[in-house]
Amino acid sequence: MNEIQPDWYSPTRLLSSPVDYDFPGDRFIPNRSLMDLDQAHTLLTNRTKKLGKPKFNDEYRRKMEENLKLDVEGRPFRMLVFRGSPKSSRQSTRLIDEMRRSDEEIPLQTNDSKRYRKFPLKASRALDAPLLSDDYYSNVMDWGKSNILAIVLGSILYLWNAKVQKAQILMEVKREHDYPTSVAWSDDGKIVAVGCNSSKLQLWDAQTSKLVRDLQGHQSRVGCVAWNGHILTSGSKDRAIINHDVRASNSLVSITRVHRGEVCGVKWSSTGNVLASGGNDNLVYIWDIFKMSSRDYMHRFNEHHAAVKALAWCPYNSDVLASGGGIDDGCLKIWNTQKGTCISTTVTGAQICGLQWNRHHKEILSGHGFGTGESPCQLCLWSYPSMARIGEPLCHASSSRILHLSQSPDGLTVVSAGADETIRFWEIFGPPQERSANTTDLDNLLSLKASAVR
């Protein structure tokens, strides 16, 4: 009878050669490093028919038990011995996350046209915009869902139809020292809200070119407006944020004054229940729609060192907000508005006049004004969340500062308005990533790089 070795309970494969082991956890608690994700994916996505319930006789079961309890040399061993797992050459979850980030940061210049697109070297179209105001605190351009671009030139508000490529006059302010200082399309693309230097706030019907109504409340210029369904929010030099319910005859819902300087940016989140406001006091406030009348804000961000005009909510995470500071700040900050924390800070070295998220890829575009850094008067595309710059910056021909940014309804084209009195269109955001016909949501969920299991 052969003598049983001291570690007789170990499988033969563990006795055959010296192996280094690690002990990542208890045997009764699952650990991802011990799992074979490829095998699990194969089993879960197998499209073959399931086998019927097997019928085994006693003799077959006895043979199976012998094979499971004895190694190939007939020595007994314990199959479920707890000795850790061999140190595998498989990449850890940390490396998998790094692979994810590296995929997001691949430059746009690539031959894989199905997934990535060519980075533009110049604008696809340029239009003259005489009398475009060189004013950082105004917001005089917006591209509506009806594919019509609203742009203020001097005292006139023009509507440029992107489909037929023709412009028409919607309204003109004929009062002395008065002109439109902010515009915003309603969610349905039918009504344009126009704020003026004289504190007037008006609603215009784009189809009939008629004034719908005047809204009262401000005492100074209205520099920013934003829609949230039937709620119209406006910010003014008088430091007030006013909410109007445009359905009601008495439209005034709330007036809030917490900013110590001009309110130069307001943006509603995609969920419609949170508002972000930026001011000339270098502050960003986050508001709950139901608590604005009480001046009880959710968060107050004071990390910028210049006026905050540029605000943009992330389209694929409603709790993420991007903000850009003025010339003495030049920082692009990403915020978690649920936790009230700063996720990242990117120093651009230039005034940030506008921000636009890419809805098809995890990227954000910034438009810059004056500065001393690497990005004055340019457009810069950043990968999110790494905030690595993609490609080379773009600029208007005369290197004038970029004042306003907006994007087309399909999210493929960005339009910029510059102090050189031109409007330029950039094919920088598209096309969206293609999916193969046989790809299912289950495949994406269970794939190694897209798995939601952490």
Side-chain angles (χ1 to χ4, degrees), residues 232-245:
L232 176 64
T233 302
S234 55
S236 171
K237 192 176 181 179
D238 62 12
R239 302 180 298 172
I241 301 173
I242 297 182
N243 286 329
H244 288 276
D245 187 340

Side-chain angles (χ1 to χ4, degrees), residues 174-376:
K174 297 183 178 181
R175 297 179 297 275
E176 189 177 1
H177 306 299
D178 195 12
Y179 48 89
T181 51
S182 57
V183 296
W185 283 98
S186 61
D187 294 341
D188 59 8
K190 296 180 180 180
I191 302 296
V192 183
V194 184
C196 296
N197 189 57
S198 63
S199 78
K200 286 187 176 293
L201 180 59
Q202 299 178 332
L203 303 183
W204 287 80
D205 189 315
Q207 294 181 337
T208 63
S209 298
K210 292 183 178 180
L211 177 63
V212 176
R213 68 185 300 181
D214 281 297
L215 302 174
Q216 306 298 323
H218 286 297
Q219 306 300 320
S220 187
R221 72 172 174 186
V222 182
C224 52
V225 284
W227 287 90
N228 182 19
H230 56 270
I231 299 295
L232 176 64
T233 302
S234 55
S236 171
K237 192 176 181 179
D238 62 12
R239 302 180 298 172
I241 301 173
I242 297 182
N243 286 329
H244 288 276
D245 187 340
V246 299
R247 302 171 302 176
S249 56
N250 183 12
S251 63
L252 190 63
V253 175
S254 66
I255 300 179
T256 304
R257 284 186 175 90
V258 295
H259 281 281
R260 298 190 300 269
E262 177 175 3
V263 181
C264 45
V266 287
K267 282 291 190 303
W268 285 99
S269 67
S270 58
T271 57
N273 61 344
V274 180
L275 174 73
S277 64
N280 197 21
D281 54 0
N282 311 344
L283 299 176
V284 177
Y285 284 92
I286 307 298
W287 304 90
D288 186 319
I289 187 174
F290 299 110
K291 296 181 179 180
M292 289 193 66
S293 58
S294 65
R295 300 177 57 182
D296 184 14
Y297 52 83
M298 294 172 59
H299 302 291
R300 176 180 179 269
F301 301 138
N302 59 0
E303 296 184 23
H304 284 291
H305 302 288
V308 182
K309 168 193 174 183
L311 297 168
W313 289 93
C314 180
Y316 27 83
N317 188 339
S318 60
D319 293 328
V320 172
L321 172 73
S323 64
I327 191 169
D328 293 329
D329 180 75
C331 290
L332 170 55
K333 292 183 179 291
I334 308 295
W335 308 92
N336 184 321
T337 59
Q338 184 180 32
K339 298 179 180 178
T341 57
C342 182
I343 299 174
S344 67
T345 298
T346 304
V347 179
T348 69
Q351 182 183 47
I352 300 177
C353 302
L355 294 169
Q356 290 289 322
W357 286 92
N358 188 343
R359 303 201 299 264
H360 305 298
H361 304 267
K362 289 189 175 182
E363 300 163 354
I364 186 169
L365 182 73
S366 57
H368 298 274
F370 303 131
T372 57
E374 298 180 356
S375 307

